Amino acid sequence: MYRTHTCGELRSTHIGQQITLSGWVKTIRKFGSITFIDLRDRYGITQLFFNERMNALLEANPLGREFVLQIKGAVMERSNKNANLPTGDIEIEVSEYTVLNASETPPFTIEDNTDGGDELRMKYRYLDLRRDAIKRNLELRYKVSRATRNFLDNHQFMEVETPMLIKSTPEGARDFVVPSRMHQGQFYALPQSPQLFKQLLMVAGYDRYFQIVKCFRDEDLRADRQPEFTQIDCEMSFVNQEDILDMFENMTKHIFQDVKGIDMQEAFPRMTWEYAMEQYGNDKPDIRFDMRLKKLNDIIKGNGFPVFDDASLVIGIAATGCSEYTRKQLDELTEWVKRPQLGMKGLVYVKMATDGTIKSSVDKFFNEDKLKQIAEFCEAKPGDLILILAGEEALTRKAISELRLEMGNRLGLRDTAVYKPLWVMDFPLFEYDDEEKRYIACHHPFTSPKPEHISWMDDESKYIDIKANAYDLVLNGTEIGGGSIRIFNKALQEKMFSALGFTKEEAIQKFGFLLSAFEYGTPPHGGIALGFDRLCALLGGSDSIRDFIAFPKNNAGRDMMLDAPDVIDAKQRKELGL
Ligand code: ASP
């Protein structure tokens, strides 16, 4: 028997018992002729005490960190109790030990605050996974998946696996492709999501489907994205948008209750896409704090200040309690908005001091009355600092939205322990892609337009105004899920493909199977997919999904441990016809 107990199990109630433990040597502390070792396994840490006799054996055959050890001994009361450790009241007086396996000195310390850099820890991920911090994250991930499955199972959802080797279909991102040996010159694609399969399962009458499933997207990896990631993918038949929002709001609440003990009693607020863009400058507003955007065009233009007069958008925010910002801080903020990522030309400020006096960087152009009017419009109170950006509409809206988040960070308004979910709804059906010079689907090509906008599908000039039955679940400024009510009518689906620039032949070549399925009794249906890794990271109070994935890739999409991607040998290439 390797062990009678785990390293996290023994308490003062066990004092006097003879036990056997197995685990890894975490730390070795020598005090003259005695030694203490912390033994670690998945369940915890137990202190081992080697008396003089045992210590002499240790001296003869020294142990090192991460050796795998089996020990036998007696549970004793500890004189120096450690209240921070569940096993801190006891220690084991070791009477016998066996080295089950030796270990090289690990390349970094296996501690919460390790000395190992990111890349090194990814190369030795199996050692990194031994760290408590990562282990806790994976435990949390498992809890989230268990809570999700329980909820969905209780609501008649059935998990169905869908294939990983599929056909390359335009769904928004770039596909990863896999060459076929048996059909040389042809390629499978890895799914960007099981979108079409879940719709076909609805055609097949499965009514409620879910899958916790890997998805693959070959995108340039912006901050904290992974080329393969996991979704909680769901679809339902005979439902309208309200049914779906209701179901998945309840699922989210269930997960928070089950995993974090947080009771989200209130209904999630809902906001149209248009309102979110206007008030927060983006479609995933962080509503943990207010600081809404104030469009100043009407009150600020025509005062002879060319920067404002020439801009298509002049927009500001009032940062609470920041009127004391120094010249240096303001210069630094100005540089921040001028970074290439935001590309602003400058930053205008209006300070409303606590005594109510107003000062600005544009005093030359705006008299006190005008500045007061601006301050009032921005709902600034004494002590606030109004920050104003001006320029081209889309660019400026994005920049002010980023600036709002930055000020939120600086003011400590984005507490990771506070959770503020909301639904963003009524997204546009299309957006215009300037590079491709065509309309693309905002969500994906299977999303239905609002019934009252269906007739606009015949008029290209109206495309941009068509709203979709699409919704996103947003949490703390992050999109954690998105879905839509689907098109379930063949003629409308064909119209959609044509609006997206597919010829009839291309549509049949790419999506023939879907169009054909739509001829055999398709129920009204809709669904949603939640980003599982991201949800776990948010629940864990982190903004890095990597820390919640057992074997992640680095920012360049590389697996540092496997050293993948890698070249394949000539024989393999030949077999594949490459
Ligand atoms: N398949 C969609 C996505 O991955 C989600 C959905 O529409 O259900 O974004």
Side-chain angles (χ1 to χ4, degrees), residues 171 192-195 198 215 217 229 231 233-235 443-444 447 479 482-484 486 526-530:
E171 210 189 294
Q192 293 181 26
S193 84
Q195 183 60 34
K198 65 175 173 175
C215 302
R217 295 182 191 173
F229 58 95
Q231 282 189 345
D233 191 44
C234 307
E235 197 76 4
H443 186 44
H444 53 53
T447 294
E479 178 204 329
S484 59
R486 322 300 183 190
I528 192 168
L530 272 68

